[in-house]
Amino acid sequence: MNDVMNSTEQQVLALTDKLGSVRAADLLEHDIGREYLSRMYHKGLLQRIARGRYALPDAEISSHHALALFANQVPGGVITLLSALAFHQIGTQNPHEVWAAVKARGYDPDLDYPKVRYHYYSGAAYEKGIETHRIDGVEVKIYSPAKTVVDCFRMRNKVGLDVALEALKEGWRDRRFTVDELMLLAKECRIATVIQPHFEMLVA
């Protein structure tokens, strides 16, 4: 019995290493009983990082993994602003919470982990510029570099004009978007008149 149990525990550890973290549903997909999570947690083989979710004891939970956990729990959410900048490696922002856009005002699930700062978008501001990235086995919706820059200008009262300008400068310098892509999104989100003067100074 111990050999079977040890073999199953090794399987759980391998799965956790592959996915970054696991929950009961992940184990059930591999015909492993959910009781192994609690059992291995109490034996010190897993650490609990959120309600019902476990990782390896020495796992460093990255900001990217937090994005995957968020996407798992809030399917309609889109990573935006500071979290999108950090994911795209634009600028110097390193937020300690997930910045996310949701379409329905009032829909802001209180998660055990990660901590989330919600923003309510509608129309083109919500629908345009969404990319899907696979993080730790989870499909995560994240606004594109160009859309993120546009959002930083739209929400400059939230992130600061200095952050928006830094994103514009670095995104353009690193060729993360084209002029047409940026300005089309800016027009669709009704912020072109704000961005254009700053962009013209940048390329002058």
Side-chain angles (χ1 to χ4, degrees), residues 81-101:
L81 298 170
L82 303 192
S83 291
L85 287 177
F87 176 80
H88 292 301
Q89 297 184 322
I90 298 173
T92 57
Q93 300 303 309
N94 185 28
H96 297 293
E97 54 193 351
V98 173
W99 290 53

Side-chain angles (χ1 to χ4, degrees), residues 26-200:
D26 299 317
L27 268 60
L28 293 175
E29 288 180 3
H30 292 78
D31 297 320
I32 302 172
R34 65 175 64 236
E35 67 273 9
Y36 276 91
L37 291 177
S38 178
R39 183 182 302 170
M40 294 176 68
Y41 167 70
H42 288 293
K43 290 175 70 172
L45 297 174
L46 295 174
Q47 64 165 315
R48 185 161 50 210
I49 60 174
R51 183 183 301 169
R53 185 169 288 276
Y54 298 79
L56 297 178
D58 58 351
E60 293 186 8
I61 307 305
S62 68
S63 58
H64 286 9
H65 189 65
L67 303 186
L69 293 181
F70 166 78
N72 251 336
Q73 300 173 85
V74 188
V78 186
I79 305 304
T80 189
L81 298 170
L82 303 192
S83 291
L85 287 177
F87 176 80
H88 292 301
Q89 297 184 322
I90 298 173
T92 57
Q93 300 303 309
N94 185 28
H96 297 293
E97 54 193 351
V98 173
W99 290 53
V102 289
K103 193 171 185 179
R105 182 170 293 277
Y107 179 68
D108 51 354
D110 186 16
L111 308 183
D112 290 328
Y113 182 86
K115 185 177 180 182
V116 183
R117 180 177 295 197
Y118 291 98
H119 301 274
Y120 305 105
Y121 292 3
S122 62
Y126 175 81
E127 297 166 1
K128 300 293 184 178
I130 296 176
E131 299 179 342
T132 300
H133 295 266
R134 197 161 187 84
I135 302 173
D136 298 338
V138 178
E139 289 191 347
V140 183
K141 297 175 183 176
I142 305 175
Y143 286 116
S144 68
K147 177 56 162 53
T148 300
V149 170
V150 168
D151 286 336
C152 284
F153 277 94
R154 280 197 320 108
M155 308 288 283
R156 59 193 182 281
N157 61 320
K158 301 288 186 182
V159 304
L161 181 59
D162 57 329
V163 171
L165 292 172
E166 179 186 54
L168 176 64
K169 181 179 179 180
E170 292 203 11
W172 177 248
R173 181 196 66 193
D174 295 341
R175 299 181 180 180
R176 306 303 300 278
F177 47 77
T178 65
V179 180
D180 291 342
E181 181 185 8
L182 179 70
M183 294 313 298
L184 176 59
L185 285 167
K187 288 175 182 176
E188 290 176 328
C189 295
R190 302 178 180 178
I191 197 70
T193 56
V194 175
I195 294 180
Q196 190 165 353
H198 293 291
F199 185 73
E200 288 176 350

